[in-house]
Amino acid sequence: MKKPIIGVVPLFDEKKDSYWMLPGYMKGIEDAGGIPVMLPLTTDKDIISSLALAYDGFLFTGGQDINPELYGEKTEVVCGAPCEERDVMENILFKQCIELNKPVFGICRGIQLFNVLLGGTLYQDIPTQMSSNIVHTQKPPYDVPVHRVIIEKETPLYDILGTEFLMVNSYHHQGIKTLSPHLLPAAKADDGLIEAVYMPEKKFAMAVQWHPEFNYKVEDTSFRLFVEFVNSCKIVQTI
């Protein structure tokens, strides 16, 4: 069977004015049987439409905070600087992927992006806006699990991992505050923060708050997420 070609949203370093990529995003897809390709960072609607049609699935990576204007809030001082190009590009790309029923997998910023673009809101800063004794922003090494998530039964995530409890790594200061009406929760931390979501009516539209790209080589559960995503990209349904 032909290997699926999967577009990976680029990371952006404002200080260096450069696009870059974490190897784990790319190698996770490659080791799971896909062909990863880093996308250009663009706000050109025609280019984005061409990308949405050309690739078999898309990985929405971590990165900068999302502009609070996208979920109807003013920017607080605790919010990090957004990347306007990413916000614009991913808004267009994600919505076209959903319309085309292309598989999408979100990691960290990815879960926050899915929620915002589908009508949800975020904590702009968990430490100052949410009461929690859980470490959501760990120090290196980032492949070490630091807190537990509880996986909802009868969800795609439970079907993939086959466990109700999972220890995960964690590196984020924002998170889902109000869940989108178009998403369902798949996992929560012990403090109640939603850590994974999915769209039930889509072929594969799932996102996690933790970082499987950092530990998929040593954590089988992380690798399974990449495998399931890549497998869902092998036969793409369109409308």
Side-chain angles (χ1 to χ4, degrees):
M1 180 181 291
K2 181 182 177 182
K3 290 187 176 182
I5 302 176
I6 297 171
V8 183
V9 174
L11 306 176
F12 179 67
D13 187 321
E14 185 176 11
K15 292 182 179 180
K16 295 181 179 180
D17 192 26
S18 65
Y19 308 151
W20 65 287
M21 183 54 60
L22 285 167
Y25 291 128
M26 308 293 276
K27 296 299 292 184
I29 291 173
E30 183 179 344
D31 290 350
I35 301 174
V37 178
M38 189 175 86
L39 301 177
L41 184 58
T42 178
T43 59
D44 187 298
K45 293 182 180 179
D46 291 336
I47 294 176
I48 296 170
S49 294
S50 296
L51 293 171
L53 291 169
Y55 292 94
D56 298 313
F58 294 86
L59 174 61
F60 288 79
T61 56
Q64 289 90 346
D65 290 353
I66 296 166
N67 192 329
E69 290 181 3
L70 291 175
Y71 48 97
E73 292 188 6
K74 294 182 179 180
T75 302
E76 304 289 345
V77 294
V78 291
C79 185
C83 175
E84 183 177 354
E85 283 183 290
R86 284 198 64 176
D87 285 348
V88 172
M89 174 183 171
E90 292 172 52
N91 189 340
I92 299 169
L93 179 62
F94 176 77
K95 290 177 179 177
Q96 292 199 12
C97 288
I98 295 303
E99 290 178 2
L100 294 168
N101 202 16
K102 292 288 183 84
V104 290
F105 182 32
I107 294 176
C108 195
R109 169 188 162 94
I111 188 175
Q112 298 163 15
L113 179 86
F114 289 14
N115 188 56
V116 167
L117 297 183
L118 292 171
T121 65
L122 303 177
Y123 291 108
Q124 292 190 37
D125 182 63
I126 291 170
T128 58
Q129 296 180 337
M130 177 183 171
S131 176
S132 176
N133 59 0
I134 290 178
V135 176
H136 287 287
T137 306
Q138 72 185 86
K139 296 180 179 179
Y142 298 122
D143 61 347
V144 177
V146 292
H147 74 77
R148 185 180 77 161
V149 298
I150 305 166
I151 298 174
E152 300 280 350
K153 292 184 177 180
E154 298 182 358
T155 65
L157 184 62
Y158 185 85
D159 293 341
I160 294 168
L161 302 183
T163 182
E164 189 177 353
F165 302 102
L166 181 68
M167 293 297 295
V168 299
N169 55 359
S170 188
Y171 190 71
H172 63 104
H173 83 107
Q174 296 195 325
I176 292 176
K177 181 167 64 175
T178 303
L179 183 63
S180 159
H182 302 287
L183 293 170
L184 291 177
K188 294 180 181 179
D190 285 315
D191 60 5
L193 189 70
I194 294 173
E195 293 269 343
V197 298
Y198 69 102
M199 293 185 73
E201 71 275 18
K202 296 300 177 181
K203 184 180 180 184
F204 188 101
M206 184 182 297
V208 299
Q209 186 63 77
W210 61 91
H211 287 272
E213 79 278 11
F214 284 132
N215 65 3
Y216 80 92
K217 290 186 177 181
V218 295
E219 293 287 342
D220 180 63
T221 52
S222 291
F223 186 54
R224 282 189 227 171
L225 291 172
F226 280 108
V227 170
E228 190 71 18
F229 170 53
V230 170
N231 286 342
S232 74
C233 297
K234 290 180 179 178
I235 301 176
V236 178
Q237 299 173 356
T238 59
I239 58 173

